[in-house]
Amino acid sequence: MANEVLNRLDTAKTQWYHFTAVVIAGMGFFTDAYDLFCISLVTKLLGRIYYTIPGSNTPGSLPPNVAAAVNGVAFCGTLAGQLFFGWLGDKMGRKCVYGMTLMLMVLSSVASGLSFGSTPNSVMGTLCFFRFWLGFGIGGDYPLSATIMSEYANKKTRGAFIAAVFAMQGFGILTGGIVTIVVSAIFKAIHPSPAYRVDPIGSLPPEVDYIWRFILMFGAFPALMTYYWRMKMPETARYTALVAKNAQQAAADMAKVLQVKITEEQENTEQVKPSKDYGFFSREFFQKHGWHLLGTSMCWFLLDIAFYSQNLFQKDIFTAINWIPKANTMSAMEEVFRIARAQTLIAFLGTVPGYWFTVFLIDKIGRFYIQLGGFLAMLCFMLGLAIPYHHWTEPGNHIGFLIMYAFTFFFANFGPNSTTFVVPAEIFPARVRSTCHGISAAAGKAGAIIGSFGFLYAAQNPNPALTDHGYPPGIGVRYSLFVLAACNLFGAVFTLLVPDSKGKSLEEMSGENDEEDVEVEAVPSKTILPV
């Protein structure tokens, strides 16, 4: 009966429940992206509020160590959460752990906005503490959402449904920018203030402290609305049949969500019993899937170095090419508004469309070609930005830079940023699927940590007189773009290690259909009939 249940899952028609699962899982990713990237919209504001030096000609900025911690601590939590919850999802079941991650995200989002302290460093320390736990919850959402969606979907449209869950990230990034634009515009209208060089004190009214707090807390609300529905989701039939070894329960769960009914028959069929299933640390696993795990991990690692460097430090790149004015020519609220407007435009033009191109084409083109093509396209566009970089910094060339920059985001999302999430949920056995996805995702977050910490220093001007306050000289934005281009080149190479799962069942990809060391026992058969 276990095989019959799995076959029905693979051949089931697309139904309303599939779309419901996308929304339930996707709202977690909406919150993930909102919370991870909205911090980049308010870091300059945090510097002005807490680190402005009286009498200085320029507004305050976060010290290097504080900026690195604020930008990167959530990624440290995410990495830990991906490993922990990925492992826990294989041990306790997908559903059991799914609600924990969402509630942790909701509580930590709210707590981040309530960070208080008697000194600037204590406020930033409290913020970092809560953002670590926010990242820990976000980390659990990666392997669990991908695994749940892959195990619910049929093989014909599985890639599109997993990619659709991940595509909610794009709406999270876009919404972060829109919320910031609206909030900053409202505060600008209510509390108009002059530029910093006109009136340093007046450019920073006390009310601006509410802006960043509201922006950080807003991400909790969409996730909170889906908590009830996550708790109502049954365990995936594949986990119940292949890991928990309860095919009858798997059939019953499938009947609830896929609109089929089950009738008893007095025949015998086969039910899988625990046998010599190889574990993650076994020699057999690494013989069968070791290269696959290396490929998925390294592709995600290299992609996230480039992707998160671009996302988190857009504001610095836009300032470097003079698209956003110098900080002392704006008030605090004006600077937040302009940064958010620029990043929202990039998200609207490149980020969101790229995700949905993947959704619509992944089951037609295949994972391999989308990922390989995405890495190579990002390589070309980054070289197109880096080689004539000085041309882009001249007045009148900002629109061309914006278009090129948007294309790098488009091909990141219509490329490896989507496929690195999809593929690990499809090619590993059910008993270690969540663990392997968590490891692959954690490798990606290791790359994000390198990108968020490293780019902060590397992109500094080589001229010590032109660096941001407190930073040592770096290699500059131009050579940083060359480094990111090299990451894309190596990502294309490691893609060759990853198989394409287009049109294949999960058991076919993982090799579970080929395992012969299973014992069977006779149980009453159940015939599965369409309603």
Side-chain angles (χ1 to χ4, degrees):
M1 182 166 61
N3 287 336
E4 188 178 5
V5 171
L6 301 182
N7 288 337
R8 284 303 297 264
L9 283 169
D10 283 331
T11 58
K13 292 181 179 180
T14 300
Q15 300 178 29
W16 180 248
Y17 187 80
H18 289 116
F19 295 101
T20 304
V22 168
V23 174
I24 294 171
M27 288 312 296
F29 269 88
F30 177 98
T31 303
D32 296 351
Y34 183 98
D35 288 329
L36 286 177
F37 292 114
C38 71
I39 193 67
S40 67
L41 299 168
V42 299
T43 48
K44 284 187 177 291
L45 177 62
L46 291 172
R48 283 184 182 244
I49 295 172
Y50 295 105
Y51 292 94
T52 293
I53 300 173
S56 173
N57 293 326
T58 57
S61 61
L62 295 178
N65 60 327
V66 176
V70 168
N71 280 295
V73 70
F75 295 133
C76 298
T78 303
L79 188 155
Q82 286 163 337
L83 293 174
F84 176 73
F85 286 113
W87 167 80
L88 200 63
D90 284 330
K91 295 299 180 184
M92 296 180 61
R94 292 38 163 146
K95 177 191 174 180
C96 183
V97 185
Y98 209 27
M100 301 180 197
T101 62
L102 192 69
M103 191 50 63
L104 186 57
M105 289 157 52
V106 169
L107 294 175
S108 298
S109 292
V110 174
S112 294
L114 297 176
S115 299
F116 293 102
S118 57
T119 65
N121 284 343
S122 64
V123 174
M124 293 300 104
T126 307
L127 175 62
C128 288
F129 173 81
F130 288 121
R131 282 191 63 80
F132 174 87
W133 290 108
L134 171 65
F136 194 71
I138 289 172
D141 224 47
Y142 273 75
L144 293 169
S145 290
T147 300
I148 286 171
M149 199 66 243
S150 72
E151 293 180 347
Y152 271 127
N154 61 53
K155 65 182 180 182
K156 184 179 179 181
T157 59
R158 185 181 61 239
F161 280 117
I162 303 173
V165 170
F166 195 64
M168 294 298 287
Q169 273 201 340
F171 289 121
I173 295 171
L174 186 63
T175 302
I178 293 172
V179 169
T180 304
I181 289 172
V182 172
V183 172
S184 59
I186 291 172
F187 274 80
K188 279 173 59 182
I190 297 174
H191 304 285
S193 54
Y196 181 86
R197 65 184 179 186
V198 175
D199 182 2
I201 297 177
S203 72
L204 191 68
E207 291 80 7
V208 301
D209 192 54
Y210 295 113
I211 293 177
W212 69 270
R213 297 180 185 278
F214 181 85
I215 291 169
L216 294 188
M217 288 192 287
F218 181 84
F221 298 109
L224 185 61
M225 289 189 294
T226 63
Y227 180 78
Y228 170 78
W229 298 107
R230 281 201 179 191
M231 295 297 92
K232 294 285 288 184
M233 293 179 75
E235 184 59 82
T236 70
R238 280 189 162 89
Y239 181 87
T240 306
L242 296 174
V243 182
K245 309 299 183 184
N246 189 342
Q248 288 178 307
Q249 183 62 46
D253 289 342
M254 191 181 73
K256 294 178 184 177
V257 299
L258 295 183
Q259 298 176 6
V260 294
K261 63 182 179 181
I262 303 168
T263 59
E264 295 279 357
E265 289 184 357
Q266 297 303 316
E267 297 177 4
N268 287 337
T269 187
E270 293 181 349
Q271 177 169 330
V272 182
K273 288 183 62 180
S275 58
K276 300 177 182 177
D277 291 344
Y278 57 85
F280 176 77
F281 292 104
S282 67
R283 181 178 180 181
E284 188 172 1
F285 171 82
F286 284 99
Q287 286 177 337
K288 292 185 175 183
H289 300 289
W291 288 111
H292 298 161
L293 185 59
L294 176 65
T296 58
S297 299
M298 287 304 300
C299 287
W300 211 333
F301 171 78
L302 293 162
L303 176 276
D304 274 8
I305 291 177
F307 183 74
Y308 282 90
S309 295
Q310 286 179 281
N311 260 302
L312 287 174
F313 301 105
Q314 288 181 57
K315 61 187 184 300
D316 302 297
I317 294 174
F318 294 150
T319 300
I321 65 167
N322 301 314
W323 193 33
I324 295 178
K326 298 297 183 183
N328 65 352
T329 65
M330 298 179 287
S331 68
M333 290 179 283
E334 179 68 21
E335 185 176 42
V336 173
F337 178 85
R338 286 178 175 265
I339 291 171
R341 185 179 63 180
Q343 295 194 194
T344 302
L345 187 59
I346 289 290
F348 182 76
L349 294 176
T351 304
V352 173
Y355 280 116
W356 290 98
F357 265 72
T358 300
V359 172
F360 292 123
L361 296 174
I362 190 169
D363 288 311
K364 296 179 174 64
I365 299 175
R367 290 74 163 146
F368 176 83
Y369 291 108
I370 288 179
Q371 181 163 310
L372 183 65
F375 269 127
L376 294 177
M378 290 172 67
L379 168 64
C380 293
F381 281 108
M382 284 191 179
L383 291 177
L385 293 172
I387 294 173
Y389 178 74
H390 297 297
H391 165 78
W392 300 120
T393 63
E394 296 174 1
N397 296 331
H398 303 155
I399 299 300
F401 183 93
L402 174 64
I403 293 171
M404 295 280 285
Y405 197 59
F407 268 116
T408 65
F409 282 102
F410 175 82
F411 283 105
N413 295 307
F414 179 42
N417 192 44
S418 296
T419 54
T420 52
F421 177 80
V422 173
V423 173
E426 298 182 308
I427 65 175
F428 298 107
R431 56 187 168 273
V432 293
R433 184 171 291 137
S434 181
T435 299
C436 291
H437 194 285
I439 290 171
S440 302
K445 283 302 168 283
I449 292 168
I450 292 174
S452 61
F453 284 90
F455 195 86
L456 196 64
Y457 289 87
Q460 293 296 318
N461 198 294
N463 184 346
L466 300 178
T467 61
D468 291 339
H469 178 71
Y471 287 87
I475 60 176
V477 172
R478 180 172 186 251
Y479 288 105
S480 296
L481 288 170
F482 278 119
V483 173
L484 301 185
C487 291
N488 292 315
L489 176 61
F490 285 112
V493 173
F494 278 101
T495 297
L496 301 177
L497 296 177
V498 182
D500 195 340
S501 50
K502 172 190 169 187
K504 299 178 180 178
S505 72
L506 297 181
E507 291 69 42
E508 185 179 357
M509 285 306 303
S510 64
E512 286 166 297
N513 280 346
D514 301 329
E515 294 174 14
E516 300 176 352
D517 56 343
V518 293
E519 302 171 6
V520 298
E521 67 173 353
V523 298
S525 174
K526 294 180 184 282
T527 301
I528 303 176
L529 300 174
V531 172

